[in-house]
Amino acid sequence: MLLIRCPYCGERSEIEFANGGEAHIARPADPMSQTDEEWAQYLYMRDNPKGLIAERWRHAHGCNRFFNALRDTRTDRFVMTYEMGRPRPEIDAATLAEAAR
Amino acid sequence: MQKFSALSLARKALGGHLGWTPQWRSVEPKPAYDIVIVGGGGHGLGTAYYLAKQHGLRNIAVIERGWLAGGNTARNTTIIRSNYLFNESSSYYEHSLKLWETLSQELNYNVMFSQRGCLMVAHTVHDVQVFKRHVHANRLNGIDNEWLSAEEAKAFCPPLNISPNIRYPVLGASLQRRAGTARHDAVAWGFARAASDMGVDIIENCEVTGILRGPGGEVRGVETTRGTIRAGKVGVSAAGHSSVVLGMAGVRLPLQSNPLQALVSEPVKPAFPTIVMSNTIHAYISQSDKGEMVIGAGTDSYVSYTQRGGLHIPAHTLEAICELFPMFRRLRMLRSWGGITDNTPDRSPITAKTPVPGLYVNCGWGTGGFKATPGAANLFAWTIAKNEPHPINAPFTIERFRDGVMIDEAAAAAVAH
Amino acid sequence: MSDTMQVSRNGFTLVPAADRRRFVLQARPGTLDAAVRALGLAETPAMLAAATGGAVTALRLGPQEFLLLLDPAGAEDSLSALRAGLEGVAHSLVEVSDRQVGLDLSGALVEPALASLTSIDVAGPAFPVGMATRTLLGKADGVLWRTGPDRFRLEIWRSFAPYMSGLLNEAARDAVF
Amino acid sequence: MSQAFRVPGRGRVDSARTVTFTFDGRRFQGQAGDTLASALLANGHHLMGRSFKYHRARGVVSAGSDEPNALVAVGSGPALQTPNLRATQVEVYEGLTAVSQNRFPCLQFDLGAVNTLAAPLLPAGFYYKTFMWPRSFWDRVYEPVIRRAAGLGVAPTAPDPDHYAFQYAHCDVLVAGAGPAGLAAALAAGRSGAQVILADETAEVGGSLLSDRTSRIDGRPAALWVADILAELAALPNVRVLTRCTAFNYGPHNMVALNQRLTEHLADPAPDMPRERLWQVRAKEVVLAAGALERPLVFEGNDRPGVMLASAAQTYLNRYGVACGKRAVIVTADDSAYRVALDLHAAGVTVAAIADLRPAPDSALMRAAQGAGLTVLPGTTIQRAHGSTRVHSVELARLLPDGSVGKGQHWRADLVLMSGGYTPSVHLFSQSRGKLAFDERLGVYIPGESAERERSAGACRGVYALADVLADGAAAGVAAAGAAGFAADAPSWAVDAADAPGRGGYAGALPRRGKGLLAMAFVDFQNDVTAKDVKLAVREGFRSIEHIKRYTTTGMATDQGKMSNVNALGIAADALGRPVEKVGLTTFRPPFTPVTFGAFASHARGDLFDPDRRTPIDPWARAQGAVFEDVSLWRRARYFPRGSEDMEAAVRRECLAVRGGVGIFDASTLGKIEVVGPDAATFMNRMYVNAWTKLGVGKCRYGLMCRENGFVYDDGVVGRIAQDRFHVTTTTGGAPGVLAMMEDYLQTEWPDLDVWLTSTTEEWAVIALQGPSARAVLAPLVDGLDISAEALPHMSLVEGTIGGVPMRLFRVSFTGELGFEINVPARQGRAVWEAIWDAGQAAGITPYGTETMHVLRAEKGYIIVGQETDGTATPDDAGCGWAVSKVKADFVGKRSLVLPAMQAPDRRQLVGLLTEAPWEVLEEGAQLVARPDEAIPMHVLGHVTSSYFSATLGRSIALAMVSGGRARVGETLHVPMEGRTIAVTVTKPVFYDVEGARLNV
Ligand SMILES: Cc1cc2nc3c(=O)[nH]c(=O)nc-3n(C[C@H](O)[C@H](O)[C@H](O)COP(=O)(O)OP(=O)(O)OC[C@H]3O[C@@H](n4cnc5c(N)ncnc54)[C@H](O)[C@@H]3O)c2cc1C
Ligand SMILES: NC(=O)c1ccc[n+]([C@@H]2O[C@H](COP(=O)([O-])OP(=O)(O)OC[C@H]3O[C@@H](n4cnc5c(N)ncnc54)[C@H](O)[C@@H]3O)[C@@H](O)[C@H]2O)c1
Ligand SMILES: Cc1cc2nc3c(=O)[nH]c(=O)nc-3n(C[C@H](O)[C@H](O)[C@H](O)COP(=O)(O)O)c2cc1C
Ligand SMILES: [Zn+2]
């Protein structure tokens, strides 16, 4: 069971959270102007990375807030979590290597 | 190919079984092939087999990053059934089920396909409505599926707890008698042996790291950890890694790779005659020929390529098992493991051409593609050989997500496995 | 039903808590500060902390969320003050007095009993008196607020109360061994 | 015979407390503190089990959890007899009953043993090669035979009456294993003040020290030192010591699961006592101190009862006071066996010979053995062991310099001890994703780089000498405490120990003379995998160790390869012509040893399996004899039978009562969300397909919600309480999902909106009062509120009081009749319900359940999300196109709704169906076709979503989703059933009061 650091409540076990899929996929400002192809990209197509993922979690059984996390999907090690709305942080190579370990 | 039979077994016994030879040739890659299949699971190996057997192609390689069939083929709960709701799915799965029925003979390899039936138990009025809809739809499609009362279900599977006093009493069940299980590894080995025998090259411990493209964007081959391999066509059958491999060609897929866990109990004498699935309370169980209870757990919620998940997931499944089969509470978990399942938004697979000429993909089987192994392989081979889908897999494209023609078994309250 | 719920075991007691009116107050953090002033509380409770003053207790369950527990006696006064203080400012105040029930858990075994239900660390150093948080207990949500060294207040939606007291009853039974 | 092999003065068992138990019906005596294995051995009884495939007679080989052979069923009766327990772990108590397994008719004489004769025909994987003809024989003949032969014990057949506890724990340092390394680590960390949990799978802490008669620590015998340390640990309030507690799962982020067995060793456990407890421990730091396992040797007949691990014999002697035989031959590749020889010798057991595989072994211990007059045969191997249910002799032979094996010599022995060296227990380390490293010096895998905040200490990382082990453990404890933020000093002890185990070792099959085509040398004892099987697998191209495992089943037995993996690896490496470190190990997976299902389920059983949610009115409904149905976690009253009514009769009566008078219905389970804030209407506009801006305060509207893919997700009536406040209702099952979806959009897409959501589902009890007499019943109760048609028209709401209780009164109808939904605070729900009930008596008020509600709404053609829709229906498909705002620029799902496929004319659309025969009620889920005579597979046009007998209309009605359905109104379609076909006419989906006249009264 993962240990996840909620930016508001601190570290809690995974069962208190709901995973919200990949992060930083903003809903288009004007969906109706999207082509079918663009809309499908937004709705369904995912990077599904083997490596560092930016993903959303909701502290569903805690403070109920969504937040983002960077995690390495090869190791399930978290690099960091951060509040919704913040841009995806740049991560230095050493930290990435540590997460991949 | 050395023929397998009781007689050959007896004959070889006289020589202390020294006379057997490798079941498949695990070889060094050649510089080029007509077709390269990426992924040596049941689907990939089967694809190579049908390409050779039905389409007369021989210059084929199957490239596997690890040991053959060590992916989800090695780790599934082996439930095979075809009683899906929508025509598109049920014809696909039924195509596969028919192939299962003669697979041992066709491959001269006993894959131990055991048609012991699959009971899907209903716990709510809604379940009953949904399962009956399946039963009727299947009947008109020529797929066996019948409705049993709770008592009939118990008669079919005596350990089932049909007490009305449990939290979610069993209200009845649908039963597909032709459903069953098979020896998962054997399927892959049998395909490997038969394909290899027809000249297919099986290359293990070789990871595809790139996809070579020509000037027109068309596929020219693959880069691997064992060098460049040229090929006119590349078929990807990499299950949990489909996004990774297709990503090498710049193709994004509607996939999420999640851990899916399973477990076995210690072996016991035959105590469980069939397969039972409960979607409402999440229990999937059958007993293997060796005697373990083979139990499917749920999906962990996040993307992961670790082949493991949290202990609370199998624990949750065991709660359900203990409720439905309270006499198994004292059985013990012997081993648990995880696989990486590639899940689409509509929980149906993709067996199709990709936007890249010469590149084909068979993926999105998620938590339920073992049953499709021969069928998917057969249709994927067709699609690659003819550069167009067979009518059965024609709906299973990537474009269906763009076009809004999903085949949403999950939403229709059908389930995985 | 829930109102008469009781567990009494060696080292563990569960009784319905004293009646409170309950409100969920949600607003941007600055507004929450204003609410605190209006309610006459000393300072805005930090995340996962409780602040009590007069008839009011505010549990800070989220960055934008308070659970207010009001003594029925002084409740109307506090509410008017609050409404006045937040007049014209965007916020949400919703009464949930009946949505949930309060249970008082106490006894020497209250920690191990709770540890059978929740994955968070309920031991004294990690969960000091005055801390409050929503968490998952078994399969139901609850708000856990430590009110004393051997005492917690548990707030849960009313239909989950029999389940919760059933679980705690078993947990307390097992905690002895 | 009573404990003839007990050695007086030896062991830690309580010689004063004799216990009687039965094995296979025979009575035996043992001492308190014995395991079943040690007690049987004390009685000279080695035969304890039969193997899986060949049903070979098997004795106990080990003294711990790695035992593959001595599996027994303990307890009696269909509920309690527990299969596959290891006799080496079962502690005896007065009255214990145990039986052997996998034999017929009895352990001594097992018919299944004929399989041994057929063994040449049954090599690894034989079943893949045969049993294919005739095809039908597989299901009917071959498979049943295979299944019956396989499987070990017998599963219980009656429900387990025991209960199981569960506990989360948090600590600074978790120490797994309480041998010298673990004790030292726990003490070091414990003294620092860190919260420490120390767990050991056996009954007592001490590990190998409990079997050690000779070592001295600080001048004290090892076992006394253990007692000292334990006493100190027990006195530390921050240290918890758990025995009979196995660390079995090392999960991500230092979550380690423990399984503690609480009652299994007790004759008479307290009735309240849980049988086991499952712990989920989140540790800041972990110390693994799980020790090392001795390896058996692979030679012909190595599975004969009486052949066992040298360390096991030592444990039986020193820990349990049992001599495992009278005359022993020892075969070893490691010095540790000499200590065993000396101990046995001192206890009066004849040690006939010690065959050492090494050409020139030399150690102080060996010389001590020689000094004691024991025969040491260097460069000697064992050819085979003879005997059937007990070994009686062995053949030892010289290993010649050229690698061949010389002539054999027979030695009489009733005990053959083998020591192939030690394998560090890296299971937990490996589960944690730590990387193993091959240690050239020891020839084994040891922990390499850690993946978690963890460190190994002692024998589990190849540190064997006791002084080093203690220092290693102490250092690990200091390091772990330090990493968790506690400063610690390493305790140190002076050690006087002559043992130097672990320097030798052997992996693989022993060399033998001749081909031995029929010889069976076992690698995996339980699964009957022989050295030849492993070689056959390699010959057949199974070159990966994972393939070898799966083809031969080696390592897949209940010991999970603890006994077999390294030898299998050695044989495979040999056959592959590769060094072992290039072959690798199979994956270590949880659990470390098997764990009871019930322990995972713990409290989640019976009523506590899932929360059983009941409304405030539920006690009233129960008292009335209502029949309930499960809807998500809720139980809802489905109907209220009177007398002997069945559902059909009750529902007819209830329906007529509502249409003709007034009915009362508990709608409390409806999800409710209060949407509040200045941007509430904006938010609602974006979430729902409907438009909300113009909805006046005090008005209601039916709201429909899609997912972004355009398919219907949920629906419900929404009331506007104030300009900035909406009272939203959802379906019963949809409530949590809708709230989560709303939060998702609000927090992640539109955080700028000033609006907040609060679940009020349980704040309000909801009483639906429906029927032409509803107003008459309600009006006198609402404290002067004007609820006339003019003041409170259909689809409006008002706040007021009912009998002094605050109320939100909605004038809405899901039945098609004049209707009200009375929302009152939950605590008052029952009282208000009863007040209405009383007031309605004169009007013949009738309680109705969900089934009647379904029929009434179907008569009106109202959909139920999840029944008419199934996640593939658009609002338009469901006949709700009218609800979709045409003017809004955007709402969730809008973009998807304009995809061509979403507009296709052949989409399935909601229609009504009428059968020819009015009494014929279609089956829900039945399919619709145009051409009934078509051959299978038929072209299906749709399916029946809802179907009832309508008492109001005096006939059956149905709703269906039909391809291009709205254009088919008037057409005849067909419902093919088993054996017959029912013709139906397609109609519009509204069957009753099409104009809605009854609503607007
Ligand atoms: C726990 C569990 C239970 C399941 N239960 C069932 C069930 O009961 N019934 C059912 O029908 N289905 C079930 N499934 C699903 C089923 O296992 C899969 O759908 C099916 O086995 C997929 O087969 P495959 O051949 O496509 O994939 P795999 O067997 O995973 O083969 C894909 C192969 O591609 C290889 N590969 C990946 N990337 C590369 C690369 N870059 N280069 C080279 N090779 C690569 C992988 O190593 C792998 O061997 C279950 C799955 C799991 C995990
Ligand atoms: N008999 C021999 O000749 C021999 C061989 C090797 C090592 N040794 C000796 O063993 C000692 C090594 O000490 P150590 O502490 O490393 O090992 P140990 O074997 O003394 O102790 C390991 C302990 O861990 C427990 N354990 C193992 N797996 C567990 C699990 N998953 N959960 C809970 N408990 C578990 C065992 O029950 C045991 O008590 C040294 O004194 C060394 O000399 C002796
Ligand atoms: C149907 C099925 C039955 C299995 N039975 C056993 C078994 O009896 N014993 C065992 O140790 N493992 C069994 N396994 C699990 C495998 O040992 C292994 O865990 C699984 O193939 C995943 O591989 P991995 O654990 O090496 O990653 C079984 C797996 C499957 C899919
Ligand atoms: Zn939080």
Side-chain angles (χ1 to χ4, degrees), chain D residues 235-325:
Chain D
L236 288 172
N238 53 320
V239 177
R240 171 150 41 195
V241 180
L242 301 169
T243 52
R244 302 185 181 90
C245 184
T246 307
F248 70 90
N249 180 317
Y250 198 140
H253 306 170
N254 261 6
M255 188 75 135
V256 180
L258 316 177
N259 177 233
Q260 183 185 14
R261 293 165 298 281
L262 293 164
T263 61
E264 216 161 64
H265 60 292
L266 300 175
D268 217 359
D272 260 5
M273 200 164 180
R275 180 168 177 242
E276 299 178 8
R277 172 178 281 122
L278 199 113
W279 295 80
Q280 281 266 49
V281 182
R282 183 78 74 180
K284 287 208 182 80
E285 300 291 329
V286 170
V287 176
L288 298 176
L293 298 171
E294 196 172 20
R295 293 195 292 277
L297 295 169
V298 179
F299 57 91
E300 184 177 351
N302 63 344
D303 66 326
R304 300 295 183 198
V307 181
M308 63 199 307
L309 295 174
S311 60
Q314 184 181 34
T315 293
Y316 287 117
L317 181 62
N318 294 336
R319 184 162 176 176
Y320 299 104
V322 174
C324 291

Side-chain angles (χ1 to χ4, degrees), chain D residues 699-909:
Chain D
K699 295 290 175 211
C700 313
R701 180 166 287 169
Y702 171 76
L704 192 65
M705 177 185 259
C706 286
R707 298 214 293 184
E708 202 67 275
N709 63 11
F711 297 124
V712 172
Y713 184 56
D714 202 77
D715 69 351
V717 168
V718 178
R720 193 161 195 172
I721 304 290
Q723 203 55 33
D724 63 350
R725 185 177 294 254
F726 289 83
H727 176 123
V728 173
T729 66
T730 74
T731 60
T732 297
V738 170
L739 184 59
M741 176 165 150
M742 285 182 168
E743 286 286 0
D744 190 340
Y745 279 94
L746 185 56
Q747 291 185 35
T748 70
E749 301 296 346
W750 311 312
D752 52 309
L753 292 188
D754 271 331
V755 56
W756 293 271
L757 313 170
T758 307
S759 170
T760 48
T761 302
E762 297 224 40
E763 173 68 8
W764 303 105
V766 185
I767 302 163
L769 195 65
Q770 304 273 314
S773 314
R775 186 180 289 122
V777 171
L778 188 61
L781 302 176
V782 292
D783 303 339
L785 205 65
D786 181 357
I787 60 168
S788 65
E790 299 69 39
L792 190 65
H794 183 50
M795 296 308 266
S796 56
L797 72 88
V798 63
E799 290 184 275
T801 59
I802 177 164
V805 175
M807 158 184 77
R808 281 183 185 170
L809 179 63
F810 284 67
R811 168 121 188 245
V812 290
S813 169
F814 199 44
T815 58
E817 300 299 330
L818 167 66
F820 300 89
E821 287 186 0
I822 302 141
N823 290 254
V824 291
R827 260 182 292 189
Q828 314 296 336
R830 169 111 184 245
V832 172
W833 173 283
E834 286 180 1
I836 299 172
W837 173 250
D838 290 341
Q841 286 309 311
I845 190 168
T846 301
Y848 66 97
T850 51
E851 192 65 22
T852 291
M853 179 265 279
H854 284 167
V855 178
L856 297 172
R857 64 88 208 178
E859 289 169 349
K860 288 291 296 176
Y862 299 150
I863 63 162
I864 288 192
V865 170
Q867 186 161 344
E868 271 61 44
T869 68
D870 63 3
T872 66
T874 65
D876 188 59
D877 296 346
C880 298
W882 56 267
V884 183
S885 160
K886 310 282 181 295
V887 296
K888 286 195 294 182
D890 186 17
F891 57 81
V892 172
K894 182 173 168 78
R895 175 61 184 84
S896 294
L897 288 173
V898 300
L899 293 172
M902 303 294 247
Q903 319 265 343
D906 65 345
R907 292 191 64 83
R908 292 192 173 188
Q909 297 167 335

Side-chain angles (χ1 to χ4, degrees), chain C residues 7-65:
Chain C
V7 175
S8 171
R9 284 189 173 272
N10 227 340
F12 181 86
T13 308
L14 177 156
V15 292
D19 189 26
R20 287 284 175 275
R21 283 187 70 187
R22 304 174 175 88
F23 289 82
V24 175
L25 173 64
Q26 297 182 90
R28 309 246 172 222
T31 310
L32 291 182
D33 292 335
V36 163
R37 285 192 297 274
L39 289 166
L41 296 173
E43 58 182 328
T44 311
M47 267 303 290
L48 313 186
T52 301
V56 183
T57 296
L59 308 182
R60 183 74 179 269
L61 301 181
Q64 302 197 13
E65 179 187 359

Side-chain angles (χ1 to χ4, degrees), chain D residues 71-335:
Chain D
L71 300 191
V72 298
V74 176
S76 48
L80 293 178
Q81 196 179 71
T82 312
N84 298 339
L85 300 181
R86 297 169 174 83
T88 50
Q89 287 184 299
V90 173
E91 296 170 52
V92 295
Y93 50 80
E94 187 63 34
L96 173 116
T97 57
V99 293
S100 60
Q101 309 187 142
N102 202 32
R103 77 290 186 269
F104 178 82
C106 68
L107 191 57
Q108 275 294 327
F109 177 76
D110 177 7
L111 285 175
V114 297
N115 286 0
T116 294
L117 299 178
L121 292 174
L122 312 176
F126 70 97
Y127 28 77
Y128 302 127
K129 296 181 172 133
T130 178
F131 302 138
M132 284 175 276
W133 297 269
R135 199 165 77 79
S136 62
F137 267 44
W138 172 251
D139 289 331
R140 276 184 278 130
V141 184
Y142 303 133
E143 191 184 36
V145 169
I146 292 178
R147 298 190 106 202
R148 265 200 301 279
L152 292 167
V154 176
T157 53
D160 180 359
D162 283 326
H163 71 273
Y164 299 83
F166 175 84
Q167 190 92 4
Y168 287 102
H170 306 259
C171 65
D172 296 308
V173 179
L174 170 71
V175 183
L183 287 170
L187 189 71
R191 282 180 181 169
S192 78
Q195 293 287 332
V196 176
I197 296 178
L198 170 65
D200 196 283
E201 61 170 345
T202 65
E204 275 191 275
V205 303
S208 54
L209 296 183
L210 302 179
S211 308
D212 184 342
R213 271 193 84 230
T214 44
S215 303
R216 291 258 181 299
I217 306 176
D218 280 353
R220 304 258 288 160
L224 293 182
W225 178 85
V226 170
D228 296 344
I229 301 294
L230 182 60
E232 184 175 347
L233 290 173
L236 288 172
N238 53 320
V239 177
R240 171 150 41 195
V241 180
L242 301 169
T243 52
R244 302 185 181 90
C245 184
T246 307
F248 70 90
N249 180 317
Y250 198 140
H253 306 170
N254 261 6
M255 188 75 135
V256 180
L258 316 177
N259 177 233
Q260 183 185 14
R261 293 165 298 281
L262 293 164
T263 61
E264 216 161 64
H265 60 292
L266 300 175
D268 217 359
D272 260 5
M273 200 164 180
R275 180 168 177 242
E276 299 178 8
R277 172 178 281 122
L278 199 113
W279 295 80
Q280 281 266 49
V281 182
R282 183 78 74 180
K284 287 208 182 80
E285 300 291 329
V286 170
V287 176
L288 298 176
L293 298 171
E294 196 172 20
R295 293 195 292 277
L297 295 169
V298 179
F299 57 91
E300 184 177 351
N302 63 344
D303 66 326
R304 300 295 183 198
V307 181
M308 63 199 307
L309 295 174
S311 60
Q314 184 181 34
T315 293
Y316 287 117
L317 181 62
N318 294 336
R319 184 162 176 176
Y320 299 104
V322 174
C324 291
K326 293 203 158 72
R327 186 180 161 87
V329 164
I330 299 177
V331 187
T332 186
D334 181 50
D335 291 334

Side-chain angles (χ1 to χ4, degrees), chain B residues 3-6 9-10 13-24 67-69 74-75 85-86 101-102 104-105 108-110 112-116 123-126 129 132-133 136-137 139-142 166-169 183 185-186 189 204 263 265-273 281 287-291 295 306-309 311-312 315 318-323 326-338 401-406 408 411-413, chain D residues 52 79-80 82 84-86 102 120-121 123 126-133 135 138-139 143 147-160 162 164 248-252 257 275 280 431 433 452 517 536 539-542 544 546-547 549-551 556-558 560 587 589-591 594-598 600-601 604-606 609-612 629-630 632-633 635 638 711 866-867 870-872 899 901 923-927 929 936-938 940 943 976-978:
Chain B
K3 190 160 165 58
F4 287 165
S5 68
L9 201 57
L14 294 177
H17 295 288
L18 297 178
W20 295 108
T21 54
Q23 297 193 2
W24 68 83
W67 43 283
L68 210 63
R75 39 195 91 236
L85 181 63
F86 294 116
E101 289 179 318
T102 54
S104 293
Q105 288 70 27
N108 177 229
Y109 207 100
N110 190 350
M112 303 188 173
F113 180 47
S114 168
Q115 292 180 287
R116 62 186 66 174
H123 300 274
T124 64
V125 175
H126 181 252
Q129 289 164 342
K132 285 195 173 170
R133 182 178 170 199
H136 288 293
R139 183 166 41 80
L140 301 194
N141 270 327
I166 62 175
R167 179 68 186 79
Y168 295 107
R183 178 72 186 105
D185 296 323
W189 299 339
E204 293 180 77
L263 63 108
S265 73
E266 293 178 305
V268 287
K269 292 290 176 194
F272 203 78
I281 63 172
Q287 188 176 14
S288 80
D289 285 340
K290 259 179 68 211
I295 294 172
T306 55
Q307 291 191 334
R308 69 169 187 170
L311 187 65
H312 57 297
L318 288 172
E319 291 169 6
I321 296 289
C322 289
E323 252 339 71
M327 68 289 288
F328 293 162
R329 241 177 232 144
R330 283 177 113 83
L331 293 187
R332 301 192 295 174
M333 177 200 279
L334 171 62
R335 186 176 175 98
S336 65
W337 63 92
F401 297 96
R402 180 194 63 202
D403 299 339
V405 281
M406 263 82 78
D408 206 333
Chain D
F52 199 87
L80 293 178
T82 312
N84 298 339
L85 300 181
R86 297 169 174 83
N102 202 32
L121 292 174
F126 70 97
Y127 28 77
Y128 302 127
K129 296 181 172 133
T130 178
F131 302 138
M132 284 175 276
W133 297 269
R135 199 165 77 79
W138 172 251
D139 289 331
E143 191 184 36
R147 298 190 106 202
R148 265 200 301 279
L152 292 167
V154 176
T157 53
D160 180 359
D162 283 326
Y164 299 83
F248 70 90
N249 180 317
Y250 198 140
R275 180 168 177 242
Q280 281 266 49
Q431 283 181 24
R433 287 193 328 100
E452 294 281 350
L517 285 186
L536 172 65
R539 195 175 301 132
E540 291 199 78
F542 295 90
S544 155
E546 295 285 3
H547 281 147
K549 159 184 151 174
R550 286 163 173 81
Y551 192 62
M556 297 179 82
T558 60
Q560 287 288 290
T587 305
R589 289 282 192 184
V595 178
T596 309
F597 284 3
F600 289 99
R605 59 186 287 186
F609 177 76
D610 247 359
D612 181 354
E629 70 165 323
D630 284 298
S632 65
L633 293 177
R635 297 267 173 118
R638 192 173 184 197
F711 297 124
Q867 186 161 344
D870 63 3
T872 66
L899 293 172
E923 194 164 299
E924 286 167 355
Q927 306 287 302
V929 301
I936 280 172
M938 298 178 89
V940 171
H943 73 285
M977 298 298 289
E978 203 91 60

